[in-house]
Amino acid sequence: MDNKDKYKTPQGTIAILVIYILLIIALWGSAYLTMISRGVTQ
Amino acid sequence: MFAKEDRLAKWHIGIAMAALFIGGSLGPLQKLEHVGINLYPALSNIGLKSYYQGLTIHAVLNALVWTTFFITGFFTFALPRSLNRPLKYPRLNAAGLILMVVGLVVAAVPILLNLATVLYTFYPPLKAHAAFYIGLTLVVIGSWVCGYGFYFTYGDWRKAHPGERTPLIAFGALITMVLWQIATLGVAAELLWLVIPWSLGLVETIDPQLSRTFFWFFGHPLVYFWLLPAYVSWYFMVPKQAGGKLFSDHLARLVFWMFLVLSTPVGFHHQFVDPGVDAKWKAFHAILTYSVFLPSMITAFTVIASLEIGARNRGGKGLLGWVRALPWDDPSYTAQNLAMILFAFGGISGLTNASFNMNMTVHNTSWVPGHFHLTVGSAVTLTFFGISYWLVPKLAGKPLWNRKVALAQAWTWFVGMLLMSNALHILGLNFGVPRRTMLGVAPYASPDWDPFLIESAIGGIILGISGLLFYVNMLGTVFSKATLSEPIEMPVAEPLDPTPAPVWLDSWRPWLALAVVLILIAYGPVLYEMITNIQLTSPGFRVW
C-alpha cells in the first residue's frame, strides 16, 4: 500500500471506532454487572 | 437573494434562544434543590410556585421550544442556500412562524400561571388547562406549515434540475421535516382526539394507555427530529470547517433514509413497563431500536473519517496524532466536536435503555435524564451552540464578539455535562434514585446518594455558567458596533468522491413506502386493539 492509499484509508477513524466498541462493551457490561449485583429485575 | 429567509431565520432563532435562556436558567435550581438548597420559595413572588412547575418550564422550553424553533430557523436559512433558490412562498413560511409563536404564547400562559404543571410528557390522567394542549398543537401545526414551505421550494428545484441529486444540506433538512410530519401524527392524534376534548370537558374520562402509546409514537422520533439537524451540520458542514471533505456522500444519504425508516416504529421501548402492550410487540420494537445502532455507527465512521481527512490536510500525522491538527481554536468546530464526544456516551446509555431487563432497572430513575442530557442536552444543544457561532454573526452582519469566551463556553459545557450526567447515571443505576422528583425533601433519600448529588449539582452550576457565557457572546455579537471584515459563508462540505449517488439514494417513494409499511406492522395491530377496546376510564387529576 503506498502513501496515497494510506491517506485514503481512514486508519485513525478505524482505530477510534475500535476503541469506541471496546468502551461500549466495558460500560454496557459494567451496567449489566451492576444490575445483576443489585439483584433487581422487577 | 435571501433577505426574506434571513429575516425569518432571525425570528426563529431569536425566539429559540430566548426560550432556552428561561428554560435553562431553571436547570441549576433543580440540582441545588437536590442538595438541600431550595431557592424556589424565593422565586414565588415572580410566579414560580413549585419545583414541578419549574421542571415543566425547563423541559417544555428546552426540549420542545428551543429545539423546534432553532431547527425551523436553521433550515429556513440553510435549505434555500443549499438549493440556491429563495423560498417559493415566503409568506407561507411566515405564516408557519406566526402559528408557532401564537401557539407558544397560548401554551406558555397556563404554564406560567401554574395551570399546566404536567411536565413535558403531559401523561394523562394528569390534566392541564386546555390552552396548554391547544398551544402545543399550534406550535406543531406551525412547524408543519414551515415544512410545506420547504417542500414547495424543493418541488420547484426538482422541476428545474431533473436527474440531479438533491444537494446534501437540503436533502438532510427535507428528510428531517418529513420525519417530523410522520412523528407528529402520533401526538396530533393524542391531542386532537383524546386530550383536548377531555381538557375542555367535552368528555369526562380518558384512556391513559392509548394516550401514552400515541405520545411515544411521537416521542422517540422526536429525538431524531432533534438529532438530524445536528447530523446535517456534522456531515455536510463541519468537514468543511475542519478543512476536509465529506468521506462518503452515499453513506450519508443512506443514513438519513435509515433514520426516516427506523426512528418511528420503536416507541414501545419507552413503554416496556406498560401492562397494556403485549410482550411480542415490545420485543419487536426493541429489535428495531437496536437496528438504529447501525446508522448511528455509520455516522460515527463517516463523520470521523471526514474529520480525519481535514486533519491530515492540515498536516496531522500518525494513527491518532491527527486529532491535534483539528481546528480546536475555532469555537464553532470545537463545540460540535465536543458534542459528538458526549453523544458517543449517550449512545452507550441508549443501548442500555433499549435492553429490556436493563431498562427495568433504570426506568424512571435519574439514569434517564442522565442519558437525554447527553443527547438533546449535548449532541443537539452544544451543536446548535456551535452552529450559532457562525450563523448568528452571519445573520447579524457582525463578527463573533469573543472567540475565547466561546471556546470557554464549549469546554465548560463539556465538563459540566460530563459531571452531571455521570452522577445522574450512577444515581439511577446503582441506587434507583427516581427522576422527576424533589429529592431534597424525599424522606427515603439515602446519605449514600450525597456525593453524586453534589457532583451533579457542581455539573449543573458549571452548565449554568456555560449557558451565561453563550448568551453574553450572542448579545455581544448582536449589539456590537464592529462590522465584518469579510463576509461569512455557510460552510458546505464537498464529497470526497464526486460521483453522483445512485438514484435509489435520492428517491423518496421507496423509502417513504418502507417507513409507512414498517410503522403499520409495528403499530397497526396494537393501535387497532387499543382503539377497538378503548378504556375511557380515568378522570383528570391535578396533583400540584
Side-chain angles (χ1 to χ4, degrees), chain B residues 129-152:
Chain B
H129 190 282
F132 170 71
Y133 306 114
I134 293 168
L136 287 186
T137 305
L138 289 175
V139 172
V140 169
I141 293 172
S143 67
W144 285 356
V145 173
C146 292
Y148 302 150
F150 299 150
Y151 308 149
F152 281 123

Side-chain angles (χ1 to χ4, degrees), chain B residues 271-481:
Chain B
Q271 295 178 263
F272 280 154
V273 297
D274 284 22
V277 182
D278 192 276
K280 66 176 178 289
W281 294 112
K282 291 176 181 173
F284 186 48
H285 281 231
I287 292 165
L288 288 173
T289 305
Y290 269 112
S291 67
V292 178
F293 187 61
L294 180 60
S296 302
M297 286 304 288
I298 297 173
T299 295
F301 172 78
T302 311
V303 171
I304 298 172
S306 305
L307 300 183
E308 185 176 350
I309 293 168
R312 294 197 187 282
N313 283 344
R314 295 163 60 90
K317 305 282 184 200
L319 186 63
L320 295 175
W322 54 269
V323 172
R324 289 198 301 272
L326 289 165
W328 295 104
D329 58 340
D330 174 356
S332 174
Y333 172 82
T334 299
Q336 297 188 69
N337 199 332
L338 295 177
M340 294 172 198
I341 295 168
L342 290 172
F343 186 49
F345 291 101
I348 298 173
S349 57
L351 282 171
T352 307
N353 297 339
S355 312
F356 184 83
N357 53 354
M358 308 260 282
N359 190 295
M360 293 295 104
T361 303
V362 298
H363 184 74
N364 263 342
T365 72
S366 66
W367 172 283
V368 179
H371 164 70
F372 66 66
H373 277 86
L374 289 175
T375 54
V376 67
S378 299
V380 175
T381 296
L382 192 49
T383 294
F384 290 179
F385 288 165
I387 292 169
S388 300
Y389 286 139
W390 63 262
L391 179 56
V392 170
K394 166 74 179 171
L395 289 172
K398 314 271 179 69
L400 184 64
W401 177 69
N402 193 312
R403 287 169 67 90
K404 285 184 179 170
V405 169
L407 280 168
Q409 185 278 317
W411 281 103
T412 47
W413 195 271
F414 180 74
V415 172
M417 195 60 82
L418 275 180
L419 289 172
M420 190 180 83
S421 67
N422 177 61
L424 289 173
H425 278 98
I426 292 172
L427 285 165
L429 176 66
N430 293 33
F431 303 103
V433 172
R435 65 184 287 206
R436 298 176 171 132
T437 302
M438 200 171 170
L439 296 173
V441 293
Y444 48 83
S446 161
D448 293 342
W449 302 358
D450 288 349
F452 303 102
L453 290 175
I454 292 168
E455 180 190 339
S456 175
I458 292 170
I461 291 165
I462 294 172
L463 285 167
I465 293 167
S466 179
L468 280 177
L469 293 178
F470 176 73
Y471 282 101
V472 166
N473 223 338
M474 291 296 100
L475 291 173
T477 302
V478 171
F479 293 107
S480 163
K481 289 180 180 169

